[in-house]
Amino acid sequence: MSAALHLSALVAAVVGTAVLLVRPRGTQLAAVAASVVMAAAMADLTLWRAVPAVWWVAAQLALAVVLAVVARCAGSRPGVDGRASRGAVCPLAVHAALGLVVMAACAAAMGGAGDGSGVVGGSFGVRGHDHTSPTGLLVVLGGLVVGWAVVTARHMRLLPHPRHRVHAGLMLASAGAMLVGAAAGV
């Protein structure tokens, strides 16, 4: 059951990325890059393990920081007094940046430092640190996924295009399926 849930999470992420790649107006290139990196990390960690999980985690967290800066700076424009005033934050960028953090946490927790098997064939938890409870990690991951879902749901009506809403929904479904798959694998 865990393998099927992880594969369905991967399918949802790939379809969500494809929906975003249609490039409706208003789609930030950084949000597209975030979606591509998340889907690539999921595919690699689920199927092949060509890249160690730590590199996927590092790439996703670095891109989340860049995306957070882009989300805040995208609306900057000179104010009346000559100083920069901040505009509205792009809700798609917020969704993508938080998604990168959630996916990095999932990759760190499920990737582990163990035998090199993929998430589908491996077990949940960081094998090099077995003193950490798998249940505790599930609670933390569950909190991250729920927090991401709440923030995204709050911003859903602000997303500039219906395809962005479809993308956000598919990515949340993907994270939920990964969480349930991890719980089933414990």
Side-chain angles (χ1 to χ4, degrees):
M1 182 168 123
S2 178
L5 285 167
H6 280 96
L7 290 175
S8 65
L10 176 60
V11 168
V14 169
V15 171
T17 300
V19 166
L20 197 60
L21 286 173
V22 174
R23 295 286 324 250
R25 275 189 218 145
T27 301
Q28 289 185 334
L29 185 58
V32 172
S35 186
V36 169
V37 167
M38 283 187 271
M42 285 178 64
D44 181 52
L45 293 173
T46 301
L47 302 173
W48 307 295
R49 284 298 183 121
V51 177
V54 69
W55 293 111
W56 285 118
V57 170
Q60 289 178 16
L61 291 177
L63 188 53
V65 170
V66 167
L67 195 54
V69 169
V70 168
R72 177 51 83 182
C73 294
S76 291
R77 55 184 121 354
V80 177
D81 59 358
R83 295 187 308 185
S85 64
R86 293 186 176 178
V89 175
C90 173
L92 181 63
V94 171
H95 163 76
L98 291 175
L100 284 163
V101 172
V102 169
M103 294 302 171
C106 288
M110 289 182 251
D115 58 3
S117 62
V119 172
V120 171
S123 62
F124 179 75
V126 180
R127 292 176 209 92
H129 300 283
D130 284 335
H131 56 274
T132 303
S133 162
T135 305
L137 289 173
L138 275 175
V139 170
V140 170
L141 286 175
L144 285 172
V145 170
V146 167
W148 183 35
V150 167
V151 169
T152 298
R154 186 168 177 230
H155 287 101
M156 192 73 83
R157 70 186 190 307
L158 301 175
L159 290 172
H161 197 279
R163 288 188 187 124
H164 294 166
R165 293 180 198 93
V166 170
H167 163 76
L170 285 168
M171 291 309 236
L172 287 172
S174 175
M178 283 192 322
L179 182 63
V180 172
V186 170

